[in-house]
Amino acid sequence: MIKIDYTSSKAIYEQIYDEITRLILSKALKPDDKLPSVRELAAMTKINPNTIQKAYKVLEFENYIYSVKGRGNFVKSSDDLRILHINKLEEKLFKTIKSLKELGLKNDDISKMVDNILISN
């Protein structure tokens, strides 16, 4: 379910966040599915419960999940989340293109870069 790369420079809570958002957006986790409790996920992944809790807090803050007191954490509607995620990625793409232009690349050069990426995927 959740893969952690201990050699990555990315913080473990961020990796958990990324993995859960991936599962939600790919619809492996459906709306209103219950996530494992903090302790369950900590035991499954052998990660400190505080780290899991931090990831869950960020997921809730970013509106990927919601919590019900005494019952646990649940997945929000994936259609709304998909739109939210696409908007975030569009913002990242905008910043990347802006950085490339600041480095002196022309629109044609950037378009060729994007075309090469699209062809290779």
Side-chain angles (χ1 to χ4, degrees):
M1 181 173 156
I2 293 181
K3 300 171 215 136
I4 303 298
D5 179 3
Y6 294 99
T7 62
S8 173
S9 62
K10 188 178 267 191
I12 292 175
Y13 85 91
E14 290 179 282
Q15 292 183 53
I16 294 166
Y17 169 91
D18 289 345
E19 285 292 298
I20 292 175
T21 56
R22 180 185 61 78
L23 291 168
I24 292 170
L25 295 170
S26 69
K27 299 189 180 190
L29 289 173
K30 308 277 188 247
D32 299 317
D33 275 356
K34 187 177 187 303
L35 295 175
S37 72
V38 169
R39 289 176 193 229
E40 289 170 339
L41 190 54
M44 289 181 344
T45 57
K46 295 182 174 50
I47 294 171
N48 186 305
N50 293 333
T51 302
I52 306 294
Q53 183 62 42
K54 185 172 184 178
Y56 277 14
K57 281 184 180 180
V58 175
L59 286 162
E60 186 170 12
F61 180 78
E62 296 284 330
N63 289 314
Y64 284 99
I65 66 173
Y66 64 95
S67 64
V68 176
K69 194 167 185 107
R71 294 203 45 226
N73 296 293
F74 299 86
V75 176
K76 280 198 171 180
S77 167
S78 59
D79 291 335
D80 295 340
L81 295 175
R82 190 171 188 278
I83 292 166
L84 175 71
H85 193 69
I86 288 170
N87 289 340
K88 286 181 184 179
L89 291 173
E90 184 177 8
E91 187 178 314
K92 284 183 182 179
L93 180 60
F94 175 82
K95 289 178 181 177
T96 300
I97 290 171
K98 184 178 177 187
S99 294
L100 290 170
K101 288 185 128 191
E102 288 170 356
L103 290 171
L105 274 75
K106 304 286 185 224
N107 288 352
D108 287 343
D109 297 326
I110 297 170
S111 292
K112 286 177 189 173
M113 252 186 217
V114 171
D115 287 343
N116 288 335
I117 291 168
L118 291 172
I119 290 168
S120 67
N121 287 318

